[in-house]
Amino acid sequence: MDLLQDYLPLFFNLYTTYYTPYEPYIRPFMRYVYYAQSYAYKYLFPTLWPLYRLTRMIFSRLSDAPDIATLVVLIILAYISMKVLDILRRQIIYWISVTLKLLLWASLALIGFYVYQRGIEQSLEDLGWVLGYFAALEDEGERLGQTKGNSKMAQARRAERQAPRGRTRGGGWL
């Protein structure tokens, strides 16, 4: 970096001095520099100048009204945070789906290993026993639900008979 800082003023001196002993060696390079400058002034400058003026005007207005600048910064931060949260959401969904796929394939492998160890007929008998067990649990749950539902219905009917009818204090609209 020191080398660049030392020689940059010398290069600038070569650029601004027209008659130097190095001119024959620098002339081809300078020709490209002049072509680049002419291209920039002809084509890029007219295009970029209005954009420069517009951004300069916007930044001057923003510095005059700090409330707008705060609002713009808040919107930018909200946008960036939403992007980060979207990335996190996608990562979480990805890992959950990988875990579920892994569990599915592991369970299929375990079922296959179980069938291989016990044989197809014994495995089907075991499957029938498991399905019968769950059917018995379902029947028991339905029976318990019916008895609890009937007791709650009877309790509601008793409460209805004991409630005072007509206009009573605190009776409400009914």
Side-chain angles (χ1 to χ4, degrees), residues 69-172:
T70 305
L71 185 63
V72 167
V73 169
L74 182 66
I75 290 171
I76 291 170
L77 287 176
Y79 179 75
I80 291 171
S81 65
M82 289 298 158
K83 286 292 185 183
V84 168
L85 288 175
D86 183 46
I87 291 169
L88 289 174
R89 179 191 59 86
R90 284 187 278 155
Q91 285 291 319
I92 290 170
I93 288 173
Y94 168 76
W95 284 110
I96 288 173
S97 67
V98 165
T99 305
L100 290 176
K101 288 176 186 176
L102 184 65
L103 287 173
L104 172 73
W105 287 109
S107 64
L108 287 176
L110 286 174
I111 290 171
F113 184 71
Y114 182 77
V115 169
Y116 175 75
Q117 288 289 325
R118 301 276 292 187
I120 293 177
E121 291 180 10
Q122 187 64 36
S123 298
L124 288 176
E125 286 180 19
D126 292 342
L127 178 65
W129 182 83
V130 168
L131 291 177
Y133 181 73
F134 283 127
L137 286 178
E138 181 184 5
D139 291 341
E140 184 182 353
E142 187 175 325
R143 184 182 55 79
L144 284 173
Q146 284 292 332
T147 56
K148 285 191 178 201
N150 289 339
S151 68
K152 291 295 181 183
M153 183 63 79
Q155 185 181 5
R157 286 185 184 142
R158 278 194 305 267
E160 182 180 307
R161 276 186 258 136
Q162 293 174 357
R165 296 180 183 236
R167 291 186 162 220
T168 59
R169 185 179 228 197

Side-chain angles (χ1 to χ4, degrees), residues 15 17 23 117 128 143 156:
Y15 175 71
T17 308
E23 187 176 350
Q117 288 289 325
R143 184 182 55 79

